[in-house]
């Protein structure tokens, strides 16, 4: 037969050969092998005719089942379904009367029936598929329920759902759940039925159970739907089905799990984008609450997962470089917008800005992207700096401030690059970076602080406000740099003098801070600069007071008290000429008081007379004990 089949032997010659085999009374298995050989060589007409003869000859033998199954299989392949069904009914009748097939042949029969049902399912002939599954079901007895029985029930449930026969689908799924509750397809059909019925709680529980099963092990199944993809594809189908049926919360959970479990880069990114599109409008309308914080945390986790996927190496089948850039641009903007919405929660806001920065690194470094990166890092540094200010331990403070310094330095690199290329110059950003870096280095007690400031003092475009802020930062705990603060205030005062129109209120505060730093209240031996220089600051202030009516009276009062107390300090050092000079200066400030003048004039003149007398009589110790003033006096 093999020799004949290798040549161009006609069907008539082959038929003669197989008839000769029958005359030789060859055994059944040999005849079946010949039939299969003919069919394998695409000689169906001869093979099927031979199989029909075999079936008739051996139908009374104990091996008739094997012949019959092969015969049924051939009938179905030839689409002679009515005859095949007759033969199946014969097997069912024999099965019910005790003439059952062996376990091996029964498995073969189920495979034939399921294969036929699957082919009908694939062409959407669900009613026909159910008929073939029902034939398979009739061979099961109550004591033979196994995992294959659960598969059968799921397959039937799928057909019922497509035929919109919900009650029958529920019965089939209930049977499947009873015998195989941990199967992903069982849970998928439970989910679909729950969604159709509008039972969100049941649908959500099915999705959670399905995710738990996927976490425990990878399932394998021959359900019709299984051929459409891996088990994680069920989560994709579940999300789509939930959205189509208005079950948004259920869809969100399915998309979240899909992004978590899928190994497919594009599928993960698509799932996360879909989830964000569903959730973002809802979050935008939520008031500040713990629920909103949880939603933000969830989106942060999803965006971090998207970043991880974008970071993975990509080949021909993965994202192209252009696609990666487009995806990164989209996620970068989403992270930015979410950061802006988190103004009440700086910590989570920082995380979104850092994520936006990371996403931008997949994008071309044009001007827009560079400015976006700089802004993200600047905002992150601001949060870290604030965290450092509030830190309860030195370790935490150092951690936050060190992180802020790294972000600031990267910002500076971007700023310098933009300035070198001449594409962009943002003085306000540069000033802010300068102040942030100074504060971080000051609080970290950085040994490079002085060298950092050397370049700062020479910058031409700094304003009085910048120098005043440097002075404040230099004295904020844990920093303590009075000489730096003094130098900054001197530069600020110098700039005020150069202005055509001075802001008297701001000027008065600058003078106040400079004098107070130069001669601290209560100090007896500590002055950061010579009193002659300090005298010049008082004279400058008095000059401005003489020229304007807008100088704050409380500042004039403070200058009066400060100069008086400085005079008393000189008296305690037996510097009587300086004593009269400083106390006399206080009287000059007294002349410019308005609402407070009446309250202080009599007392001041009396004290000044006593001071002059004390100087004359050399009664320093007695006067020194009672001569100091404060504004509260």
């Amino acid at each position: 037969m093999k020799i004949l089949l290798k040549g161009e032997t006609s069907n008539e010659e082959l038929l003669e050969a197989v008839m000769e085999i029958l005359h030789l009374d060859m055994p059944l298995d040999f005849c079946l092998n010949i039939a299969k050989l003919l069919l394998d060589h695409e000689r169906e007409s001869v093979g099927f005719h031979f199989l029909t003869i075999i079936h008739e000859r051996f139908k009374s033998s104990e091996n008739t089942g094997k012949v019959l199954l092969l015969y049924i299989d051939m009938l179905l392949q030839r689409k002679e379904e009515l005859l095949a069904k007759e033969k199946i009914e014969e097997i069912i009748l024999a099965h019910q009367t005790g003439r059952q097939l062996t376990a091996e042949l029964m498995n073969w029969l189920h495979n034939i029936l399921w294969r036929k049902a699957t082919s009908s399912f694939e062409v959407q002939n669900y009613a026909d598929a159910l008929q073939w599954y029902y034939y398979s079901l009739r061979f099961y007895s109550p004591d033979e329920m196994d995992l294959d029985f659960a598969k059968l029930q799921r397959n039937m449930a799928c057909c019922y759902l497509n035929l919109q026969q919900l009650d029958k689908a529920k019965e089939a799924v209930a049977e499947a759940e009873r015998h195989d509750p941990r199967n992903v397809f069982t849970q998928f059909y439970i989910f679909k039925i729950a969604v159709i019925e509008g039972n969100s709680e049941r649908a959500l529980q099915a999705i959670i159970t399905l995710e738990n099963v996927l976490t425990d092990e990878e399932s394998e199944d021959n359900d019709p739907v299984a051929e459409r993809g891996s088990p994680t594809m069920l989560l994709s189908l579940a999300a789509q089905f939930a959205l189509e049926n208005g079950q948004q919360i259920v869809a969100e959970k399915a998309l979240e799990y899909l992004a978590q479990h899928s190994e497919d880069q594009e599928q993960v990114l698509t799932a996360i984008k879909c989830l964000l599109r569903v959730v973002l409008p809802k979050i935008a309308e939520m008031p500040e609450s713990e629920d909103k914080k949880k939603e933000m945390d969830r989106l942060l986790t999803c965006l971090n997962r998207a970043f991880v996927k974008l970071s993975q190496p990509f080949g021909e089948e993965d994202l192209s470089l252009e696609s990666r850039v487009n995806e990164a641009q989209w996620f970068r903007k989403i992270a930015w917008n979410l950061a802006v919405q988190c103004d009440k929660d700086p910590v989570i806001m920082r995380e979104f800005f850092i994520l936006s920065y990371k996403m931008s690194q997949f994008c071309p470094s044009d001007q827009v992207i560079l400015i976006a990166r700089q802004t993200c890092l600047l905002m992150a540094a601001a949060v870290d700096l604030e965290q450092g200010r509030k830190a309860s331990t030195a370790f935490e403070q150092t951690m936050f401030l060190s992180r802020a310094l790294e972000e600031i330095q990267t910002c500076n690199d971007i700023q310098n690059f933009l300035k070198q290329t001449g594409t962009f110059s943002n003085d306000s950003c540069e000033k802010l970076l300068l102040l942030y870096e100074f504060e971080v280095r000051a609080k970290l007690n950085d040994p490079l602080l002085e060298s950092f400031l050397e370049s700062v003092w020479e910058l031409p475009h700094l304003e009085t406000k910048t120098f005043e802020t440097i002075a404040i930062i230099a004295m904020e705990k844990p920093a303590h740099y009075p000489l730096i603060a003094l130098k900054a205030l001197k530069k600020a005062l110098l700039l005020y003098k150069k202005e055509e129109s001075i802001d008297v209120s701001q000027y008065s505060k600058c003078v106040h801070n400079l004098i107070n730093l130069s001669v601290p209240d209560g100090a007896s031996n500590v002055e950061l600069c010579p009193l002659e220089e300090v005298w010049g600051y008082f004279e400058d202030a008095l000059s401005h007071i003489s020229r304007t009516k807008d100088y704050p009276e409380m500042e004039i009062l403070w200058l009066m008290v400060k100069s008086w107390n400085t005079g008393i300090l000189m008296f305690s050092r037996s510097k009587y000429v300086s004593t009269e000079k400083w106390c006399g200066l206080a009287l000059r400030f007294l002349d410019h008081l308005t609402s407070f003048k009446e309250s202080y004039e009599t007392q001041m003149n009396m004290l000044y007379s006593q001071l002059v007398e004390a100087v004359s009589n050399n009664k320093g110790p007695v006067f020194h004990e009672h001569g100091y003033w404060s504004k509260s006096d």
Side-chain angles (χ1 to χ4, degrees):
M1 288 300 299
K2 289 184 177 180
I3 292 172
L4 290 173
L5 288 169
K6 284 184 179 294
E8 296 183 357
T9 310
S10 65
N11 286 344
E12 289 76 12
E13 291 178 281
L14 286 175
L15 190 55
E16 290 178 9
V18 297
M19 295 307 293
E20 187 176 344
I21 290 172
L22 290 176
H23 293 313
L24 294 173
D25 291 328
M26 301 304 286
L28 174 62
D29 286 341
F30 183 83
C31 294
L32 289 176
N33 286 334
I34 294 296
K36 290 178 182 177
L37 189 65
L38 290 164
L39 295 170
D40 290 342
H41 283 77
E42 299 181 355
R43 298 298 186 99
E44 287 88 354
S45 60
V46 179
F48 187 71
H49 181 69
F50 184 51
L51 191 58
T52 305
I53 296 172
I54 294 172
H55 174 241
E56 290 298 323
R57 172 169 289 198
F58 291 97
K59 65 181 180 181
S60 59
S61 73
E62 58 183 17
N63 291 317
T64 185
K66 187 183 295 186
V67 181
L68 189 55
L69 293 186
L70 186 58
Y71 187 54
I72 292 171
D73 201 2
M74 289 297 97
L75 286 171
L76 291 176
Q77 289 185 33
R78 293 169 62 89
K79 302 190 184 306
E80 298 184 25
E81 296 179 4
L82 288 177
L83 186 54
K85 289 178 180 179
E86 289 179 10
K87 298 303 178 183
I88 293 169
E89 290 289 352
E90 288 178 16
I91 296 176
I92 292 173
L93 181 61
H95 186 78
Q96 293 173 345
T97 56
R99 291 177 291 134
Q100 298 178 347
L101 296 174
T102 63
E104 182 183 358
L105 292 178
M106 184 58 72
N107 285 335
W108 186 8
L109 175 59
H110 283 305
N111 285 334
I112 292 171
L113 295 172
W114 286 24
R115 187 168 64 245
K116 174 56 182 170
T118 301
S119 65
S120 296
F121 184 93
E122 289 174 348
V123 296
Q124 300 181 10
N125 191 348
Y126 306 116
D128 187 63
L130 275 171
Q131 287 186 22
W132 298 104
Y133 282 133
Y134 185 68
Y135 278 133
S136 182
L137 182 63
R138 291 171 66 183
F139 286 99
Y140 279 96
S141 60
D143 58 342
E144 293 179 330
M145 306 304 181
D146 56 10
L147 294 182
D148 283 338
F149 176 76
K151 289 181 186 180
L152 178 60
Q153 293 290 351
R154 286 194 296 271
N155 292 349
M156 294 178 73
C158 185
C159 294
Y160 284 131
L161 285 173
N162 281 289
L163 292 170
Q164 299 183 354
Q165 297 178 16
L166 187 59
D167 290 338
K168 290 183 178 181
K170 288 173 66 176
E171 291 175 8
V173 169
E175 285 293 321
E177 186 179 17
R178 186 156 51 248
H179 294 90
D180 194 8
R182 296 282 297 170
N183 183 278
V184 290
F185 293 96
T186 299
Q187 293 301 321
F188 178 71
Y189 292 128
I190 292 172
F191 157 81
K192 287 195 74 171
I193 291 170
V195 169
I196 292 170
E197 292 183 325
N199 189 340
S200 300
E201 185 176 349
R202 175 70 164 148
L204 192 59
Q205 184 56 52
I207 285 293
I208 294 171
T209 305
L210 194 155
E211 189 270 341
N212 290 336
V213 175
L214 287 176
T215 303
D216 293 341
E217 60 183 351
E218 287 192 7
S219 287
E220 292 184 1
D221 210 308
N222 64 353
D223 294 70
V225 73
E227 295 182 8
R228 303 179 206 173
S230 65
T232 53
M233 184 57 72
L234 291 179
L235 291 170
S236 178
L237 294 172
Q240 181 180 348
F241 191 74
L243 287 173
E244 289 171 352
N245 287 272
Q247 296 285 344
Q248 182 172 317
I249 295 176
V250 180
E252 290 173 18
K253 185 61 70 175
L255 289 167
E256 191 176 347
Y257 287 151
L258 177 60
Q260 182 177 338
H261 291 286
S262 177
E263 296 295 328
D264 183 271
Q265 188 181 43
E266 191 170 355
Q267 187 179 54
V268 171
L269 296 175
T270 301
I272 294 173
K273 288 172 73 174
C274 185
L275 176 62
L276 289 167
R277 288 189 176 105
V278 171
V279 175
L280 286 176
K282 179 177 68 174
I283 287 184
E285 297 177 359
M286 290 177 70
E288 295 299 327
S289 62
E290 191 63 28
D291 288 340
K292 184 172 183 177
K293 186 178 184 305
K294 289 179 181 177
E295 286 296 304
M296 286 295 187
D297 288 337
R298 182 165 68 124
L299 294 186
L300 183 62
T301 300
C302 288
L303 284 170
N304 272 311
R305 187 168 290 117
F307 172 72
V308 170
K309 285 297 178 184
L310 286 172
S311 304
Q312 291 176 350
F314 58 97
E316 294 180 0
E317 296 181 358
D318 297 314
L319 291 179
S320 66
L321 183 59
E322 183 180 0
S323 297
R324 179 164 303 209
V325 170
N326 292 335
E327 295 286 10
Q329 286 278 25
W330 192 88
F331 285 115
R332 174 185 73 82
K333 294 174 183 178
I334 292 295
W336 176 287
N337 291 336
L338 286 169
V340 173
Q341 292 182 42
C342 294
D343 56 318
K344 299 292 192 299
D345 189 345
V347 176
I348 196 77
M349 178 178 71
R350 177 197 178 276
E351 295 302 316
F352 280 120
F353 272 124
I354 287 294
L355 199 49
S356 182
Y357 167 75
K358 288 179 179 179
M359 293 290 189
S360 71
Q361 291 179 310
F362 296 114
C363 305
S365 297
D366 56 23
Q367 180 180 338
V368 173
I369 292 299
L370 286 173
I371 294 171
R373 288 178 190 169
Q374 186 183 46
T375 307
C376 287
L377 289 174
L378 188 63
M379 296 300 293
V383 174
D384 282 330
L385 186 54
E386 184 61 25
Q387 292 286 97
R389 292 170 185 150
K390 297 177 180 178
S392 56
T393 66
F395 173 79
E396 286 183 347
Q397 185 175 63
T398 300
M399 180 189 71
F400 286 122
L401 294 178
S402 299
R403 195 165 68 178
L405 186 58
E406 290 179 7
E407 292 154 354
I408 291 165
Q409 289 171 335
T410 306
C411 275
N412 282 328
D413 292 340
I414 297 172
Q415 180 75 10
N416 292 334
F417 178 80
L418 289 170
K419 289 172 69 175
Q420 289 171 7
T421 56
T423 55
F424 180 76
S425 178
N426 188 340
D427 289 342
S428 61
C429 180
E430 189 172 6
K431 292 170 191 173
L432 197 55
L433 285 170
L434 184 153
L435 292 174
Y436 281 177
E437 184 169 359
F438 172 69
E439 181 173 356
V440 169
R441 292 186 183 277
K443 284 181 166 57
L444 287 173
N445 196 23
D446 187 351
L448 298 176
L449 181 61
E450 291 291 346
S451 61
F452 163 72
L453 283 174
E454 286 177 6
S455 59
V456 172
W457 301 134
E458 303 302 322
L459 292 174
H461 57 276
L462 296 184
E463 302 169 346
T464 53
K465 184 65 177 177
T466 304
F467 286 118
E468 288 173 321
T469 305
I470 289 174
I472 294 170
I473 292 171
M475 299 302 290
E476 279 182 352
K477 293 181 179 180
H480 184 73
Y481 296 94
L483 290 176
I484 292 175
L486 194 64
K487 187 171 184 177
L489 288 171
K490 288 179 181 179
K491 287 186 172 294
L493 190 63
L494 188 61
L495 289 176
Y496 275 122
K497 290 181 179 180
K498 292 180 179 180
E499 292 177 359
E500 294 182 5
S501 177
I502 295 179
D503 185 330
V504 176
S505 176
Q506 293 298 320
Y507 169 81
S508 66
K509 290 177 183 177
C510 182
V511 170
H512 181 130
N513 292 331
L514 179 56
I515 292 173
N516 200 43
L517 190 61
S518 302
V519 187
D521 287 334
S524 57
N525 297 308
V526 181
E527 292 97 26
L528 295 180
C529 62
L531 280 177
E532 291 78 6
E533 184 178 331
V534 179
W535 175 270
Y537 303 146
F538 278 98
E539 287 284 7
D540 283 342
L542 190 60
S543 173
H544 283 292
I545 292 168
S546 302
R547 294 197 304 268
T548 179
K549 296 180 181 180
D550 296 330
Y551 207 97
E553 188 177 16
M554 290 300 297
E555 291 298 325
I556 298 174
L557 177 61
W558 184 86
L559 289 167
M560 181 193 78
V561 172
K562 190 71 176 178
S563 55
W564 177 269
N565 287 343
T566 304
I568 301 304
L569 177 63
M570 295 299 100
F571 187 88
S572 69
R573 297 176 181 176
S574 301
K575 296 182 178 180
Y576 302 123
V577 174
S578 293
T579 298
E580 289 193 52
K581 176 181 174 181
W582 282 98
C583 290
L585 180 63
L587 293 177
R588 291 164 67 190
F589 282 112
L590 175 66
D591 290 339
H592 292 282
L593 291 176
T594 53
S595 59
F596 289 107
K597 186 173 183 179
E598 186 177 347
S599 302
Y600 282 90
E601 189 170 27
T602 303
Q603 192 175 5
M604 281 287 292
N605 286 324
M606 182 182 68
L607 281 172
Y608 186 73
S609 300
Q610 292 175 0
L611 175 66
V612 172
E613 183 181 352
V615 170
S616 301
N617 298 331
N618 195 21
K619 295 180 181 178
V622 176
F623 187 81
H624 176 242
E625 183 179 351
H626 302 287
Y628 277 105
W629 274 43
S630 69
K631 288 198 299 183
S632 60
D633 293 337

